[in-house]
Amino acid sequence: MSEIAVRVEHLGKRYRIGAQQVPYKTLRESVMAATGAPLRWLRGERSPATNTLWALDDVSFEVKHGEAVGIIGRNGAGKSTLLKILSRITKPTRGQVELYGRVGSLLEVGTGFHPELTGRENIYLNGAILGMRRAEIGRKFDEIVAFAETERFLDTPVKYYSSGMYVRLAFAVAAHLEPEILLVDEVLAVGDAEFQKKCLGKMSDVAHEGRTVLFVSHNMTAIGILCNHALLLEKGLLTNIGKAHDVISRYLSHNESRANPFVSCGRRGSGQLQITSLHFETNSGKRIDVLHSGQPVVFVIGYRNIACKAHDRISFSFSVHTSAEIGIFHLYSHFSGVYYSDLPESGYIRCSVPELPLSPNNYSVMCRVVMNGDQDTGEEVDWPQVYVPMTVTGTDFFGTGGSNLSSWGPVLIRGNWLPVSGN
Amino acid sequence: MFRIESTRNSLALNLGDLWRYRELLFFLTWRDIKVRYKQTLLGVAWAVLQPLLTMVVFSVIFGQLAKLPSEGFPYPIFTYTALLPWQLFAFALNNSSNSLVGSQGLVSKVYFPRLVIPIASVLPGLLDFAISFVVLIGMMVYYHIPLSVRMLALPLLLVLAVATALAVGLWLSALNVEYRDVRYMVPFLTTFWQYATPVAYSITLIPGRWRLLYGLNPMTGVVEGFRWALLGSGDIGGLIWVSLAIVCVLLFGGLVYFKRMEDTFADVI
């Protein structure tokens, strides 16, 4: 077997935009257009330039066997189109792809599930749809059922399943597909947190078994954990390829510079000083986009001083929220007795957090500034109504050498478990 | 190594791929049968009731009222032998025409040879056929019609009926992806086609010199073939060959057209 698993050369895919807006032509329209065509041609009219869009444009890359590659980019960047071409669902307009090995693709969880059929029947049906042989499904049947945790409902039609059970069963079938090259679209965004973690674990097993994985996701944490390499698509063009963490950083910072949320947001407060940015750094001042549980991190708040007097006593703060915007904690500088005075026209306020107590997940951060008092009695200077996204990934928080982190709840604490004593 | 390219060689039917996915074909057929009988109140009874009730209506209107000739056979069994392959055909045509559009989720999310879908949609009709065939045997006993060795030709005629439905179904299902008019066209086409086929009347009503031309409708060949095999009615020699030839042309054309359109299904559906 050669070293290369996937070779993509000058791949392009063109869509007609008109065709997307009016999805189905009617026969009448086509007949009318066809009969009118010679007439228009006689009059010297060319057919109207149809509005086309290159969903992928001259994309070339190679993936080696055993690599796990994340595909990232904004909506409409061409990620899903790329996976659809690689999995043979649609043909490219230009270029070619060479695949060395059996390909399995998972673009949706539960494709082909039929609500009237039982769990058992759907396992076989779905397996066959995903390209598994009947004997293969039979062999893995118990494993699939155990993974899905739906033993008791095997002979119940899946229409009576809760949505969680449904998704678990569907993912379980797909997870036991064992191709040499696995293509996965945003399928981890299903189920509850516990199950997502289980899925992620299964996916990382697949990646570590030496299989080749191409993985599309908006979840940078997942990409960071699963993939060693990543490629970035922007408007159909391949703009960056390399180590996953570098590409993710670039993608996130790029996103930020494109649209600084602090520029055009609603805000409250007197406005004598305005917050202009928020980012994260390491202790040594290196900018980072993904934070690590239990590691030091510096919150950096950019500001512009418009009308604060030298003697004003200013307290900066930030608050961290779950992705559902429920507050976890906030931290004002005056909590530690720090008020800033005599601020230059613009600059950065830094707050170093020695150990980030958050579990791996996506969070959001808000900033607020008050002066000459505390958070309740002071004058509100600026409170931008902006949640800045913050991604935390796991590390060896407990110092045990493993990444046995729970994503149950947002907060992680350490404790000393004492030996058994008599009383 | 597998290569994905933009170029399409439109005459390569790639039927080997279809063979590799035979288990999927089996499971999709099995699903259709299972689901149909789970969701219907009368279940298997439908397979019997449909042709049986149509037979009663035809016998009353065409046999009793219009007094159409039936080549000397009792009118009920004369029309029932034709109704069996006809209903199989109508079912298969309707299902295959709507099959691709009905499987949008599959087509846009998973790869497999798309031919599996229309083929799988045709096969459940064979079960209905088998059930109503048992009724036919009962009727033959009742009317004292002897079984003959000609019945050995039935499987071939069955293949011809399914192939006809599939040939037209391939064209229509692929067209349906792009032109949703097809969905409204199919019931009309089926009704029209039934009158063009000697189901409710005898082919003897057609002047002899037109009969071969009549074979251009392959279902004429099938229906007359059934009467020939089961009832021992007149000679079908020339007719069946015309039908067979036309089905081969239609089916090959349908396959080529389907293959040509296949690449764009996921984009358009």
Coordinates of all heavy atoms in Angstrom, one line a residue, chain A residues 197-276:
Chain A
K197 N -19.2 13.1 24.3 CA -17.9 12.7 24.7 C -17.6 11.3 24.3 O -16.5 11.0 23.9 CB -17.8 12.8 26.3 CG -16.6 13.6 26.7 CD -16.6 13.8 28.2 CE -15.5 12.9 28.8 NZ -14.2 13.2 28.3
K198 N -18.6 10.4 24.5 CA -18.4 9.0 24.1 C -18.1 8.9 22.6 O -17.2 8.1 22.2 CB -19.7 8.3 24.4 CG -19.5 6.8 24.5 CD -20.7 6.1 25.2 CE -20.8 4.7 24.9 NZ -21.9 4.0 25.5
C199 N -18.8 9.7 21.8 CA -18.6 9.7 20.3 C -17.2 10.1 20.0 O -16.5 9.5 19.2 CB -19.6 10.6 19.7 SG -21.3 10.2 19.8
L200 N -16.8 11.2 20.7 CA -15.5 11.8 20.5 C -14.4 10.7 20.8 O -13.4 10.5 20.1 CB -15.3 13.0 21.3 CG -14.4 14.1 20.8 CD1 -15.0 14.6 19.5 CD2 -14.3 15.2 21.8
G201 N -14.7 10.0 21.9 CA -13.7 9.0 22.3 C -13.6 7.9 21.2 O -12.5 7.5 20.8
K202 N -14.8 7.5 20.7 CA -14.8 6.4 19.7 C -14.1 6.9 18.4 O -13.3 6.2 17.8 CB -16.3 6.1 19.4 CG -16.5 5.0 18.3 CD -16.2 3.7 18.9 CE -16.1 2.6 17.8 NZ -15.7 1.3 18.3
M203 N -14.3 8.2 18.1 CA -13.7 8.7 16.9 C -12.2 8.8 17.1 O -11.4 8.5 16.2 CB -14.2 10.2 16.6 CG -15.6 10.3 16.4 SD -16.0 9.9 14.7 CE -14.8 11.0 13.9
S204 N -11.8 9.1 18.3 CA -10.3 9.2 18.5 C -9.7 7.8 18.5 O -8.6 7.6 18.1 CB -10.0 10.0 19.7 OG -9.7 9.2 20.8
D205 N -10.5 6.8 19.0 CA -10.0 5.4 18.8 C -9.7 5.1 17.4 O -8.7 4.5 17.0 CB -11.0 4.4 19.3 CG -11.1 4.5 20.8 OD1 -10.3 5.1 21.5 OD2 -12.1 3.9 21.4
V206 N -10.7 5.4 16.5 CA -10.6 5.2 15.1 C -9.3 5.8 14.6 O -8.5 5.2 13.8 CB -11.8 5.7 14.3 CG1 -11.6 5.6 12.8 CG2 -13.0 4.9 14.7
A207 N -9.1 7.1 14.9 CA -8.0 7.8 14.4 C -6.7 7.2 14.9 O -5.7 7.1 14.2 CB -8.0 9.3 14.9
H208 N -6.7 6.7 16.2 CA -5.4 6.1 16.7 C -5.2 4.7 16.3 O -4.1 4.2 16.4 CB -5.5 6.2 18.3 CG -5.4 7.6 18.7 ND1 -6.1 8.1 19.8 CD2 -4.7 8.7 18.2 CE1 -5.9 9.4 20.0 NE2 -5.0 9.8 19.0
E209 N -6.2 4.1 15.7 CA -6.0 2.7 15.1 C -5.2 2.8 13.8 O -5.1 1.7 13.2 CB -7.3 2.0 14.9 CG -7.9 1.4 16.2 CD -9.4 1.1 16.0 OE1 -9.9 1.0 14.8 OE2 -10.1 0.9 17.0
G210 N -4.9 4.0 13.4 CA -4.1 4.1 12.2 C -5.0 4.2 10.9 O -4.5 4.1 9.8
R211 N -6.3 4.4 11.2 CA -7.1 4.7 10.0 C -7.0 6.2 9.6 O -6.6 7.0 10.4 CB -8.5 4.4 10.3 CG -8.9 3.0 9.9 CD -10.4 2.8 10.1 NE -10.5 2.3 11.5 CZ -10.8 1.1 11.8 NH1 -11.0 0.2 10.8 NH2 -11.0 0.7 13.0
T212 N -7.3 6.4 8.4 CA -7.3 7.8 7.9 C -8.6 8.4 8.1 O -9.7 7.8 7.8 CB -7.0 7.8 6.4 OG1 -5.9 6.9 6.2 CG2 -6.7 9.2 5.9
V213 N -8.7 9.6 8.7 CA -9.9 10.3 9.0 C -9.9 11.7 8.5 O -9.0 12.4 8.6 CB -10.2 10.3 10.5 CG1 -11.5 10.9 10.8 CG2 -10.0 9.0 11.2
L214 N -11.0 12.0 7.7 CA -11.2 13.4 7.4 C -12.5 13.9 8.1 O -13.5 13.2 8.0 CB -11.4 13.6 5.8 CG -10.1 13.8 5.1 CD1 -9.3 12.5 4.9 CD2 -10.4 14.4 3.7
F215 N -12.3 14.9 8.8 CA -13.4 15.3 9.8 C -13.8 16.7 9.6 O -12.9 17.6 9.8 CB -12.8 15.0 11.2 CG -13.6 15.3 12.3 CD1 -15.0 14.9 12.3 CD2 -13.1 15.9 13.4 CE1 -15.8 15.2 13.4 CE2 -13.9 16.2 14.5 CZ -15.2 15.8 14.5
V216 N -15.0 17.0 9.3 CA -15.5 18.4 9.2 C -16.2 18.7 10.5 O -17.0 17.9 11.0 CB -16.5 18.5 8.1 CG1 -17.3 19.8 8.2 CG2 -15.8 18.5 6.7
S217 N -15.9 19.9 11.1 CA -16.6 20.3 12.3 C -16.4 21.8 12.5 O -15.5 22.4 12.1 CB -16.0 19.5 13.5 OG -16.8 19.9 14.6
H218 N -17.4 22.3 13.2 CA -17.3 23.7 13.7 C -16.7 23.7 15.1 O -16.5 24.8 15.7 CB -18.6 24.4 13.6 CG -19.1 24.7 12.2 ND1 -18.6 25.7 11.5 CD2 -20.0 24.0 11.4 CE1 -19.2 25.7 10.3 NE2 -20.0 24.7 10.2
N219 N -16.6 22.5 15.7 CA -16.2 22.4 17.0 C -14.6 22.3 17.1 O -14.1 21.2 16.8 CB -16.8 21.2 17.6 CG -16.5 21.0 19.1 OD1 -15.5 21.6 19.6 ND2 -17.3 20.2 19.8
M220 N -14.0 23.4 17.3 CA -12.5 23.5 17.3 C -11.9 22.6 18.3 O -10.8 22.0 18.2 CB -12.0 24.9 17.5 CG -12.4 25.8 16.3 SD -11.8 25.2 14.7 CE -13.2 25.5 13.7
T221 N -12.6 22.4 19.5 CA -12.1 21.5 20.5 C -12.0 20.1 20.0 O -11.0 19.4 20.1 CB -13.1 21.5 21.7 OG1 -13.5 22.8 22.0 CG2 -12.5 20.9 22.9
A222 N -13.1 19.7 19.3 CA -13.1 18.3 18.7 C -12.0 18.2 17.7 O -11.2 17.2 17.7 CB -14.4 18.0 18.1
I223 N -11.8 19.1 16.9 CA -10.8 19.1 15.8 C -9.4 19.0 16.5 O -8.5 18.2 16.2 CB -10.8 20.3 14.9 CG1 -12.2 20.2 14.2 CG2 -9.6 20.3 13.9 CD1 -12.1 20.2 12.7
G224 N -9.2 19.9 17.5 CA -8.0 19.9 18.2 C -7.6 18.6 18.9 O -6.5 18.2 18.9
I225 N -8.6 17.9 19.4 CA -8.4 16.6 20.1 C -8.1 15.5 19.1 O -7.2 14.7 19.2 CB -9.6 16.3 21.0 CG1 -9.7 17.2 22.2 CG2 -9.5 14.8 21.5 CD1 -10.9 17.1 23.0
L226 N -8.9 15.5 18.0 CA -8.9 14.4 17.1 C -7.8 14.4 16.1 O -7.3 13.4 15.6 CB -10.3 14.2 16.4 CG -11.4 13.6 17.2 CD1 -12.6 13.6 16.3 CD2 -11.0 12.2 17.6
C227 N -7.6 15.6 15.6 CA -6.8 15.7 14.3 C -5.4 16.2 14.6 O -5.2 17.1 15.4 CB -7.5 16.6 13.4 SG -9.2 16.2 13.1
N228 N -4.5 15.6 13.9 CA -3.1 16.2 13.9 C -2.9 17.2 12.8 O -2.1 18.1 13.0 CB -2.0 15.1 13.9 CG -2.5 13.9 13.0 OD1 -3.3 14.1 12.0 ND2 -2.1 12.7 13.4
H229 N -3.6 17.1 11.7 CA -3.5 18.1 10.7 C -4.9 18.7 10.4 O -5.9 18.2 10.8 CB -3.0 17.5 9.4 CG -1.6 17.1 9.5 ND1 -1.2 15.9 10.1 CD2 -0.4 17.7 9.1 CE1 0.1 15.8 10.0 NE2 0.6 16.9 9.4
A230 N -4.9 19.9 9.8 CA -6.1 20.5 9.4 C -5.9 21.3 8.1 O -4.8 21.7 7.8 CB -6.6 21.4 10.5
L231 N -7.0 21.5 7.4 CA -7.0 22.4 6.3 C -8.2 23.3 6.4 O -9.2 23.0 6.9 CB -7.0 21.6 5.0 CG -8.0 20.5 4.7 CD1 -9.1 21.0 3.9 CD2 -7.3 19.4 3.9
L232 N -7.9 24.5 5.9 CA -8.8 25.6 6.1 C -9.4 26.0 4.7 O -8.6 26.3 3.8 CB -8.2 26.8 6.7 CG -9.0 28.1 6.8 CD1 -10.2 27.9 7.7 CD2 -8.1 29.2 7.5
L233 N -10.7 26.0 4.6 CA -11.3 26.4 3.3 C -12.0 27.7 3.5 O -12.7 28.0 4.5 CB -12.4 25.3 2.9 CG -11.9 24.0 2.4 CD1 -13.1 23.1 2.2 CD2 -11.1 24.1 1.1
E234 N -11.8 28.6 2.5 CA -12.5 29.9 2.6 C -13.1 30.2 1.2 O -12.3 30.2 0.2 CB -11.5 31.0 3.0 CG -11.2 31.0 4.4 CD -10.2 32.0 4.8 OE1 -9.0 31.8 4.5 OE2 -10.5 33.0 5.4
K235 N -14.4 30.3 1.1 CA -15.1 30.5 -0.1 C -14.6 29.6 -1.2 O -14.3 30.0 -2.4 CB -14.9 32.0 -0.6 CG -15.6 32.9 0.4 CD -15.5 34.3 -0.1 CE -16.3 35.2 0.9 NZ -15.8 36.6 0.7
G236 N -14.5 28.3 -0.9 CA -14.1 27.3 -1.9 C -12.6 27.2 -2.2 O -12.2 26.3 -2.9
L237 N -11.8 28.1 -1.6 CA -10.4 28.0 -1.8 C -9.7 27.4 -0.6 O -10.1 27.6 0.5 CB -9.8 29.4 -2.0 CG -10.3 30.1 -3.3 CD1 -9.9 31.6 -3.2 CD2 -9.8 29.5 -4.5
L238 N -8.7 26.6 -0.9 CA -7.9 26.0 0.2 C -6.9 27.1 0.6 O -6.0 27.4 -0.2 CB -7.2 24.8 -0.3 CG -6.3 24.1 0.7 CD1 -7.1 23.5 1.9 CD2 -5.6 22.9 0.1
T239 N -7.0 27.7 1.8 CA -6.2 28.8 2.1 C -5.1 28.4 3.2 O -4.1 29.2 3.3 CB -7.0 30.0 2.7 OG1 -7.7 29.5 3.8 CG2 -7.9 30.6 1.7
N240 N -5.2 27.3 3.8 CA -4.2 27.0 4.8 C -4.3 25.5 5.1 O -5.3 24.9 5.1 CB -4.5 27.8 6.1 CG -3.3 27.8 7.0 OD1 -2.3 27.1 6.7 ND2 -3.4 28.5 8.1
I241 N -3.1 24.9 5.2 CA -3.0 23.5 5.5 C -1.8 23.3 6.4 O -0.8 23.9 6.2 CB -3.0 22.6 4.2 CG1 -2.9 21.2 4.6 CG2 -1.8 23.0 3.3 CD1 -3.3 20.3 3.4
G242 N -1.9 22.5 7.4 CA -0.7 22.3 8.3 C -1.2 21.6 9.6 O -2.2 20.9 9.6
K243 N -0.4 21.9 10.6 CA -0.7 21.3 11.9 C -2.0 21.8 12.4 O -2.3 23.0 12.3 CB 0.4 21.7 13.0 CG 1.8 21.1 12.6 CD 2.0 19.9 13.5 CE 3.3 19.1 13.1 NZ 3.0 17.9 12.3
A244 N -2.8 20.9 13.0 CA -4.2 21.3 13.4 C -4.2 22.6 14.2 O -5.0 23.5 14.0 CB -4.8 20.2 14.1
H245 N -3.3 22.7 15.3 CA -3.4 23.8 16.2 C -3.1 25.1 15.5 O -3.7 26.1 15.7 CB -2.5 23.6 17.4 CG -3.2 22.7 18.4 ND1 -4.2 23.1 19.2 CD2 -3.1 21.3 18.6 CE1 -4.6 22.1 19.9 NE2 -3.9 21.0 19.6
D246 N -2.1 25.1 14.5 CA -1.8 26.3 13.8 C -3.0 26.8 12.9 O -3.3 28.0 12.9 CB -0.6 26.1 12.9 CG 0.6 25.7 13.8 OD1 0.6 25.9 15.0 OD2 1.6 25.1 13.2
V247 N -3.6 25.8 12.2 CA -4.6 26.2 11.3 C -5.8 26.7 12.1 O -6.5 27.7 11.7 CB -5.0 25.0 10.4 CG1 -6.2 25.3 9.5 CG2 -3.8 24.5 9.6
I248 N -6.1 26.0 13.2 CA -7.2 26.5 14.1 C -7.0 27.9 14.6 O -7.9 28.8 14.5 CB -7.4 25.5 15.3 CG1 -8.0 24.2 14.8 CG2 -8.4 26.1 16.3 CD1 -8.0 23.1 15.9
S249 N -5.8 28.2 15.1 CA -5.5 29.5 15.5 C -5.7 30.5 14.5 O -6.3 31.6 14.7 CB -4.0 29.6 16.0 OG -3.8 28.6 17.0
R250 N -5.2 30.2 13.3 CA -5.3 31.1 12.2 C -6.7 31.4 11.8 O -7.1 32.5 11.6 CB -4.5 30.6 11.0 CG -4.4 31.7 10.0 CD -3.5 31.3 8.9 NE -4.1 31.8 7.7 CZ -3.5 32.1 6.6 NH1 -2.2 32.0 6.5 NH2 -4.1 32.6 5.5
Y251 N -7.5 30.3 11.8 CA -8.9 30.4 11.5 C -9.6 31.3 12.5 O -10.3 32.2 12.1 CB -9.5 29.1 11.4 CG -11.0 29.1 11.4 CD1 -11.7 29.6 10.2 CD2 -11.8 28.5 12.4 CE1 -13.1 29.5 10.2 CE2 -13.2 28.5 12.3 CZ -13.8 29.0 11.2 OH -15.2 29.0 11.2
L252 N -9.3 31.1 13.8 CA -10.0 31.8 14.8 C -9.6 33.3 14.8 O -10.4 34.2 14.9 CB -9.8 31.2 16.2 CG -10.4 29.9 16.4 CD1 -10.0 29.3 17.7 CD2 -11.9 29.9 16.2
S253 N -8.3 33.6 14.6 CA -7.9 35.0 14.6 C -8.4 35.7 13.4 O -8.7 36.9 13.4 CB -6.4 35.0 14.7 OG -5.8 34.4 13.6
H254 N -8.4 34.9 12.3 CA -8.9 35.5 11.1 C -10.3 35.9 11.2 O -10.7 37.0 10.8 CB -8.7 34.5 10.0 CG -8.7 35.0 8.6 ND1 -7.6 35.6 8.1 CD2 -9.7 35.2 7.7 CE1 -7.8 36.0 6.9 NE2 -9.1 35.8 6.6
N255 N -11.1 35.0 11.8 CA -12.5 35.3 12.0 C -12.7 36.6 12.8 O -13.5 37.4 12.6 CB -13.1 34.1 12.8 CG -13.9 33.3 11.9 OD1 -14.1 33.6 10.7 ND2 -14.5 32.2 12.4
E256 N -11.8 36.7 13.8 CA -11.9 37.8 14.8 C -11.6 39.1 14.1 O -12.3 40.1 14.2 CB -11.0 37.6 15.9 CG -11.3 38.5 17.1 CD -10.4 38.1 18.3 OE1 -10.3 36.9 18.6 OE2 -9.6 39.0 18.7
S257 N -10.5 39.1 13.3 CA -10.1 40.4 12.7 C -11.1 40.8 11.6 O -11.3 42.0 11.4 CB -8.7 40.2 12.0 OG -8.8 39.3 11.0
R258 N -11.8 39.8 11.0 CA -12.8 40.1 10.0 C -13.9 40.9 10.6 O -14.4 41.8 10.1 CB -13.3 38.9 9.3 CG -14.0 39.2 8.1 CD -14.7 38.0 7.4 NE -14.0 36.8 7.6 CZ -13.6 36.0 6.7 NH1 -13.7 36.3 5.4 NH2 -13.0 34.9 7.0
A259 N -14.4 40.5 11.7 CA -15.5 41.1 12.3 C -15.3 41.2 13.8 O -15.6 40.3 14.6 CB -16.8 40.3 12.1
N260 N -14.7 42.3 14.2 CA -14.5 42.6 15.7 C -15.9 42.9 16.3 O -16.5 43.9 16.0 CB -13.5 43.7 15.9 CG -13.2 44.0 17.3 OD1 -13.9 43.5 18.2 ND2 -12.2 44.7 17.6
P261 N -16.3 42.0 17.2 CA -17.7 42.2 17.7 C -17.8 43.4 18.5 O -18.9 43.9 18.7 CB -17.9 40.9 18.5 CG -16.5 40.4 18.9 CD -15.6 40.8 17.7
F262 N -16.7 44.0 19.0 CA -16.8 45.2 19.9 C -17.1 46.4 19.1 O -17.4 47.5 19.6 CB -15.6 45.3 20.7 CG -15.4 44.3 21.8 CD1 -14.6 43.2 21.6 CD2 -16.2 44.3 22.9 CE1 -14.5 42.2 22.5 CE2 -16.1 43.4 23.9 CZ -15.2 42.3 23.7
V263 N -16.9 46.4 17.7 CA -17.0 47.6 16.9 C -18.5 48.0 16.8 O -18.9 49.1 17.0 CB -16.4 47.4 15.5 CG1 -16.7 48.6 14.6 CG2 -14.9 47.1 15.7
S264 N -19.3 47.0 16.5 CA -20.7 47.4 16.2 C -21.7 46.6 17.0 O -22.4 45.8 16.5 CB -21.0 47.1 14.7 OG -20.7 45.7 14.4
C265 N -21.6 46.8 18.3 CA -22.5 46.0 19.2 C -23.3 47.0 20.0 O -22.9 48.2 20.2 CB -21.7 45.1 20.1 SG -20.6 46.0 21.2
G266 N -24.4 46.5 20.6 CA -25.1 47.3 21.6 C -24.2 47.5 22.8 O -23.5 46.6 23.2
R267 N -24.3 48.6 23.5 CA -23.5 48.7 24.7 C -24.2 49.6 25.7 O -25.1 50.4 25.4 CB -22.1 49.2 24.5 CG -21.9 50.3 23.5 CD -20.5 50.5 22.9 NE -19.4 49.9 23.6 CZ -18.3 49.3 23.0 NH1 -18.3 49.3 21.7 NH2 -17.3 48.8 23.7
R268 N -23.9 49.4 27.0 CA -24.5 50.2 28.0 C -23.4 50.9 28.7 O -22.2 50.6 28.6 CB -25.3 49.3 29.0 CG -26.6 48.8 28.4 CD -27.0 47.5 28.9 NE -27.5 47.7 30.3 CZ -28.2 46.7 31.0 NH1 -28.4 45.5 30.4 NH2 -28.6 46.9 32.2
G269 N -23.7 52.0 29.5 CA -22.6 52.7 30.2 C -22.4 54.1 29.7 O -22.9 54.4 28.6
S270 N -21.6 54.9 30.4 CA -21.4 56.3 30.1 C -20.5 56.5 28.8 O -20.6 57.5 28.2 CB -20.8 57.0 31.2 OG -19.5 56.4 31.5
G271 N -19.7 55.5 28.6 CA -18.9 55.6 27.3 C -17.6 56.4 27.5 O -17.0 56.7 26.4
Q272 N -17.2 56.8 28.7 CA -16.0 57.6 28.8 C -14.8 56.7 28.4 O -13.7 57.2 28.2 CB -15.8 58.0 30.3 CG -16.7 59.2 30.6 CD -17.2 59.1 32.1 OE1 -18.0 58.2 32.4 NE2 -16.7 60.0 32.9
L273 N -15.0 55.4 28.5 CA -13.9 54.5 28.1 C -14.6 53.3 27.4 O -15.7 52.9 27.8 CB -13.1 54.0 29.3 CG -12.0 53.0 29.2 CD1 -10.9 53.2 30.2 CD2 -12.6 51.6 29.3
Q274 N -14.0 52.8 26.3 CA -14.7 51.7 25.7 C -13.8 50.5 25.5 O -12.6 50.6 25.2 CB -15.1 52.1 24.3 CG -16.4 53.0 24.3 CD -17.1 53.1 23.0 OE1 -16.5 52.9 22.0 NE2 -18.4 53.4 23.0
I275 N -14.3 49.3 25.7 CA -13.6 48.1 25.5 C -13.5 47.8 23.9 O -14.6 47.9 23.3 CB -14.3 46.9 26.2 CG1 -14.1 47.1 27.7 CG2 -13.7 45.6 25.8 CD1 -14.9 46.2 28.5
T276 N -12.4 47.5 23.4 CA -12.2 47.4 22.0 C -11.9 45.9 21.6 O -12.0 45.6 20.4 CB -11.1 48.3 21.4 OG1 -9.9 48.0 22.2 CG2 -11.5 49.7 21.6

